Amino acid sequence: MISPELISVSAEILLAAGGMALLVLPGLRSARLLGLLTLLTLAAAANLKMCAFCCRPAGAAGAFSGMLALDPFAFFIQGGILVAMALVALSVMGFARQEVRARREFHALFLLTGTGLLITAGANNLILIYLGIEMIS
């Protein structure tokens, strides 16, 4: 059985794994394919966030000893971040085909930055805020 704490950070894990996979997998040179993989990863992360919101324990204030907030406002902000990232990924798909030379690195860093944004939005502790800001930068 998967612990509720692991479910609460599953979207962040997926974004980080997706970003690292885009860096490692060979043969990903098409701007359209990279954009679609990025959108697919963001959609799966949004789905995992909705599942984490629905499956959170009743009365639980936070995960990992209160370091990560599990309140509705944190989930709302994280959902807004994922929607904004999806819109940016959609708008970059056409632009990256012509202008961006390092497409793979752009999409990988974009997903890793999203991981930092989600961590920062749900942080309830200064250590997690620092970790999230370091991942954003």
Side-chain angles (χ1 to χ4, degrees):
M1 173 142 189
I2 300 174
S3 71
E5 292 182 341
L6 186 60
I7 292 173
S8 65
V9 294
S10 59
E12 288 88 346
I13 293 170
L14 178 70
L15 285 179
M20 289 185 272
L22 286 180
L23 281 177
V24 174
L25 292 176
L28 294 176
R29 298 188 190 276
S30 169
R32 184 174 178 89
L33 178 64
L34 286 168
L36 289 176
L37 285 175
T38 302
L39 281 174
L40 181 67
T41 306
L42 289 170
N47 190 15
L48 286 173
K49 270 298 167 191
M50 286 190 288
C51 290
F53 179 70
C54 295
C55 297
R56 67 191 157 108
F64 302 108
S65 301
M67 291 179 72
L68 191 68
L70 294 179
D71 57 348
F73 184 69
F75 283 109
F76 174 73
I77 296 297
Q78 290 171 342
I81 288 169
L82 288 171
V83 167
M85 287 182 67
L87 291 174
V88 169
L90 276 172
S91 66
V92 147
M93 281 176 63
F95 178 75
R97 190 176 308 130
Q98 302 163 358
E99 299 296 328
V100 179
R101 291 193 182 146
R103 287 181 280 243
R104 179 193 289 177
E105 290 84 4
F106 172 77
H107 288 284
L109 291 175
F110 183 66
L111 289 176
L112 291 172
T113 301
T115 305
L117 286 170
L118 292 182
I119 289 173
T120 304
N124 215 11
N125 192 339
L126 285 176
I127 293 173
L128 272 183
I129 292 172
Y130 177 74
L131 177 71
I133 291 174
E134 283 296 319
M135 288 186 76
I136 291 169
S137 63

